[in-house]
């Protein structure tokens, strides 16, 4: 989607049956590229996170900073490597103050 990437700082919170993750800054993509560019898959790891149990929801947002802050998020996938479970959170919307 044209203009779907963002230069804003992106954050999320995972909510599970055992609590929440707290605010996670999605800053350094393991792809080594600038995160959240158009038509790009970014991967972030949080190896020290305690188990949240089964995930219930995810909240994702950005701080609206930088040029072209509006962002179209297709979906967020979460993998709990230790438990061997994967979750898909569809979004398919623009995140923007406008």
């Amino acid at each position: 989607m044209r203009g779907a990437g963002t230069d804003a700082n992106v954050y999320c919170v995972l909510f599970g049956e055992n609590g929440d993750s707290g605010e996670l800054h999605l800053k350094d993509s393991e792809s080594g590229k600038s995160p959240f560019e158009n038509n790009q898959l970014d991967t972030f790891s949080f190896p020290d996170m305690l188990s949240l149990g089964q995930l219930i929801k995810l909240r994702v947002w950005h701080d609206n900073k930088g040029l072209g802050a509006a962002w179209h998020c297709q979906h967020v996938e979460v993998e709990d490597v230790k438990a061997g479970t994967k979750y898909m959170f569809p979004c398919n919307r623009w995140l923007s103050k406008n």
Side-chain angles (χ1 to χ4, degrees):
M1 187 172 293
R2 187 170 175 246
T6 186
D7 294 325
N9 294 301
V10 178
Y11 304 87
C12 76
V13 176
L14 298 166
F15 298 88
E17 61 188 3
N18 297 335
D20 68 73
S21 64
E23 185 177 287
L24 301 171
H25 186 181
L26 304 178
K27 184 169 116 177
D28 297 317
S29 175
E30 292 178 8
S31 72
K33 299 176 183 176
S34 179
F36 306 108
E37 295 299 326
N38 192 30
N39 200 29
Q40 179 174 295
L41 174 68
D42 292 298
T43 303
F44 303 90
S45 295
F46 299 93
D48 297 331
M49 184 181 299
L50 296 175
S51 174
L52 299 174
Q54 184 173 342
L55 295 185
I56 300 163
K57 68 179 179 176
L58 170 134
R59 179 177 174 236
V60 62
W61 72 97
H62 65 75
D63 62 5
N64 213 49
K65 303 271 184 191
L67 296 173
W71 174 46
H72 187 271
C73 178
Q74 185 68 35
H75 66 275
V76 177
E77 294 178 37
V78 178
E79 180 178 7
D80 183 336
V81 176
K82 292 176 188 169
T85 53
K86 292 183 182 182
Y87 302 87
M88 171 75 79
F89 296 95
C91 184
N92 199 28
R93 65 176 46 196
W94 284 96
L95 303 177
S96 173
K97 288 192 174 186
N98 297 331

